[in-house]
Amino acid sequence: METNRQIFIQGCRHGLPIGLGYFAVAFSLGIAARDYGFSAAQGFIASLLTYASAGQYMGFALYATNTTLAELVLLMFIINARYILMGFALNQRMPEGTPLSTRLLVGSCITDEIFGITIARPGIPTPYYTFGALITAVPLWALGTALGISMGNILPARIVSALSVALFGMFIAVIIPPSKKDKAVGAAVLISFAASYAAVRAPWISSLSQGNRTIILTVVISSVFALLFPRKTEAVSEGGAPDAD
Amino acid sequence: MQINVYVYIFVMAFSTWIMRVAASLIMKKPVENRFFQSFLYYVPYVTLAVMTFPAIVEATQSPLAGAAALIVCIGAAWAGRGLFTVAVAGCLTVLVLELFL
């Protein structure tokens, strides 16, 4: 029988490689955040509290465009909608009568990668495990962001240019494996690339902010695919998790 | 008018957290609406794809290097490489190509 302490330590151990990956990616997020006017302290706090790569990247970008808070909330809801799906997948594995506090603690730890290792772990999801992983990985995420902001401008332009690609590389690593497995996802990704490219140039939509364009394209393309290629209902337990490395 | 940056950060963090715990708050039994499930299934991939292209090509000093990184990353991910490896492969591609471009 594993004690809660042992489970927590296991979570910390599994969180370490995730945190090292986060550190590198957060550095490139920090470089972007600096361009959008965030200080190292602000980036550190934002990463410590938000710990969401795509959401933060978009949030930072949007701040520079003088967005409204309503627009920000709407964008965070849309861009982080996958966390709802992951939340459902984790809660589905918890027996009826599980205390709300346990459900909330497990849910609060969701990131793409922590969800991945938690859902892959046999048994009922436990906050001891998820919190162990979170408390190891997220400080490295925050530190990477702060260093990216503070050191981004003392690095040669060539290095910065190379590092700025890391974040997109991470996004690609999340979207390609499911595209390979599921042709509908692959088609959705290709159409998203094309639509996003067109949206930068098309009349009217190109005049919208980047955040609004992302919201509109996401809702339209996802809705069309949900109608044309609906999922089997049990698919929710699989989730959209990337590999747990 | 620029919103106070700390208010902005807090709203960003809080609305992200709400999404993490939304299911924990409302879930009594699995949602059965097929459209809703399907919509949520596609959302992360569509969002990330929209954010990746053409932004990756615009992020680098030379657009060609960005385009090459896109192809290398897709290839590495297709070959089953992990998140970290794919990100590093993209960075190295840009680093090497921009020596010449």
Side-chain angles (χ1 to χ4, degrees), chain A residues 87-198:
Chain A
F88 278 123
L90 290 171
N91 277 281
Q92 214 138 357
R93 296 249 306 252
M94 293 189 226
E96 212 182 334
T98 301
L100 180 64
S101 57
T102 305
R103 291 182 186 274
L104 285 177
L105 279 172
V106 169
S108 300
C109 296
I110 293 175
T111 69
D112 293 331
E113 294 73 23
I114 292 176
F115 167 79
I117 59 170
T118 306
I119 206 80
R121 186 175 178 273
I124 300 164
T126 154
Y128 292 99
Y129 181 74
T130 58
F131 199 66
L134 187 81
I135 211 168
T136 310
V138 167
L140 288 163
W141 174 249
L143 189 68
T145 311
L147 287 178
I149 292 172
S150 56
M151 288 172 54
N153 53 357
I154 54 169
L155 291 175
R158 231 159 34 75
I159 304 281
V160 175
S161 180
L163 281 173
S164 63
V165 164
L167 199 65
F168 301 115
M170 195 188 70
F171 295 165
I172 292 167
V174 173
I175 60 182
I176 294 302
S179 299
K180 198 175 157 186
K181 260 191 287 185
D182 183 343
K183 281 187 190 121
V185 173
V189 165
L190 278 180
I191 286 175
S192 301
F193 280 170
S196 169
Y197 182 80

Side-chain angles (χ1 to χ4, degrees), chain A residues 8 35 64 76 85 88 127 144 164 180 185 190 213 215 227 243:
Chain A
F8 175 78
D35 289 343
M76 288 302 119
L85 190 72
F88 278 123
S164 63
K180 198 175 157 186
V185 173
L190 278 180
R213 279 204 304 268
I215 293 170
L227 289 171
D243 294 334

Side-chain angles (χ1 to χ4, degrees), chain A residues 2-236:
Chain A
E2 285 175 301
T3 64
N4 287 337
R5 192 187 137 87
Q6 284 170 326
I7 294 172
F8 175 78
I9 291 168
Q10 186 191 36
C12 293
R13 258 208 341 264
H14 292 174
L16 187 61
I18 290 177
L20 292 176
Y22 281 178
F23 181 83
V25 173
F27 196 86
S28 108
L29 177 74
I31 290 171
R34 179 175 52 95
D35 289 343
Y36 297 125
F38 286 80
S39 72
Q42 290 160 353
F44 185 84
I45 293 168
S47 284
L48 203 60
L49 296 179
T50 312
Y51 49 98
S53 60
Q56 270 179 253
Y57 173 77
M58 191 46 82
F60 289 151
L62 213 55
Y63 183 70
T65 66
N66 280 320
T67 185
T68 63
L69 286 180
E71 211 184 358
L72 171 69
V73 170
L74 182 63
L75 181 78
M76 288 302 119
F77 281 2
I78 298 274
I79 212 166
N80 294 315
R82 67 186 186 283
Y83 292 153
I84 299 186
L85 190 72
M86 294 174 185
F88 278 123
L90 290 171
N91 277 281
Q92 214 138 357
R93 296 249 306 252
M94 293 189 226
E96 212 182 334
T98 301
L100 180 64
S101 57
T102 305
R103 291 182 186 274
L104 285 177
L105 279 172
V106 169
S108 300
C109 296
I110 293 175
T111 69
D112 293 331
E113 294 73 23
I114 292 176
F115 167 79
I117 59 170
T118 306
I119 206 80
R121 186 175 178 273
I124 300 164
T126 154
Y128 292 99
Y129 181 74
T130 58
F131 199 66
L134 187 81
I135 211 168
T136 310
V138 167
L140 288 163
W141 174 249
L143 189 68
T145 311
L147 287 178
I149 292 172
S150 56
M151 288 172 54
N153 53 357
I154 54 169
L155 291 175
R158 231 159 34 75
I159 304 281
V160 175
S161 180
L163 281 173
S164 63
V165 164
L167 199 65
F168 301 115
M170 195 188 70
F171 295 165
I172 292 167
V174 173
I175 60 182
I176 294 302
S179 299
K180 198 175 157 186
K181 260 191 287 185
D182 183 343
K183 281 187 190 121
V185 173
V189 165
L190 278 180
I191 286 175
S192 301
F193 280 170
S196 169
Y197 182 80
V200 180
R201 281 149 191 86
W204 184 71
I205 193 165
S206 61
S207 65
L208 298 174
S209 69
Q210 190 190 8
N212 277 332
R213 279 204 304 268
T214 303
I215 293 170
I216 291 170
L217 290 176
T218 299
V219 171
V220 170
I221 297 170
S222 301
S223 299
V224 168
F225 271 82
L227 289 171
L228 293 179
F229 308 103
R231 301 283 301 158
K232 292 188 204 77
T233 37
E234 66 267 21
V236 72

